[in-house]
């Protein structure tokens, strides 16, 4: 059942990877847009974040949501939806 989804690594594959050049990373910092900043701050003031600070186990979900806001706000809110506060207080999953 899960066999098509298993990845198997052979010795030949590992040797090929070791010959590849090392990975290079470049970190770029940029400012949030006004809409992203508004969504980010609205979420930080939401009841969900308050519950997390009180010990709710939804921490990973919140981190993921904040990351989505930073990547692109349309990942979290419909582009035509203007009321960011309504979105975060409505308690619906993103």
């Amino acid at each position: 059942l899960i066999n098509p989804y298993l990845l198997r690594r052979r010795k030949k594959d590992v040797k090929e990877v070791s010959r590849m050049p090392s990975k290079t990373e470049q970190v770029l910092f940029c400012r949030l847009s006004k809409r992203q900043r508004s969504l980010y701050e609205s979420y930080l003031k939401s009841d969900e974040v308050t519950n997390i600070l009180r010990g709710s186990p939804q921490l990973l979900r919140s981190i993921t949501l904040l990351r989505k806001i930073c990547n692109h706000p349309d990942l979290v809110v419909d582009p035509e939806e203007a009321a960011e506060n309504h979105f975060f207080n409505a308690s619906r999953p993103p």
Side-chain angles (χ1 to χ4, degrees), residues 13 17-18 20 23 27 31 44 59 62-63 66 70 79 85 87 90 94:
D13 299 332
V17 170
S18 66
M20 292 176 68
K23 180 174 86 170
V27 179
R31 296 186 186 274
L44 290 179
L59 181 61
S62 293
I63 291 171
L66 290 170
C70 290
N85 291 331
F87 173 75

Side-chain angles (χ1 to χ4, degrees), residues 6-7 11 17 19 21 25 30-32 35 38-40 43 56 61 66 74-75 89-90:
L6 287 176
L7 295 176
K11 284 187 179 183
V17 170
R19 292 190 317 191
E25 281 188 42
C30 59
R31 296 186 186 274
L32 296 176
R35 183 168 183 234
S38 173
L39 284 168
Y40 200 94
Y43 184 69
S56 173
R61 179 178 180 275
L66 290 170
D74 290 351
L75 294 171
N89 294 330

Side-chain angles (χ1 to χ4, degrees), residues 1-83:
L1 182 66
I2 63 169
N3 205 20
Y5 303 104
L6 287 176
L7 295 176
R8 297 184 183 210
R9 188 177 295 159
R10 297 178 297 204
K11 284 187 179 183
K12 179 180 89 172
D13 299 332
V14 174
K15 288 178 184 176
E16 293 296 320
V17 170
S18 66
R19 292 190 317 191
M20 292 176 68
S22 61
K23 180 174 86 170
T24 58
E25 281 188 42
Q26 187 174 15
V27 179
L28 302 174
F29 293 96
C30 59
R31 296 186 186 274
L32 296 176
S33 68
K34 289 180 183 179
R35 183 168 183 234
Q36 285 172 308
R37 187 169 191 84
S38 173
L39 284 168
Y40 200 94
E41 290 175 353
S42 295
Y43 184 69
L44 290 179
K45 294 175 186 174
S46 71
D47 293 337
E48 188 172 329
V49 172
T50 304
N51 290 336
I52 290 168
L53 293 174
R54 290 184 184 144
S56 173
Q58 297 292 326
L59 181 61
L60 187 58
R61 179 178 180 275
S62 293
I63 291 171
T64 302
L65 188 68
L66 290 170
R67 192 185 81 234
K68 285 180 179 181
I69 291 170
C70 290
N71 286 335
H72 200 287
D74 290 351
L75 294 171
V76 180
V77 180
D78 190 29
E80 287 82 34
E81 189 171 341

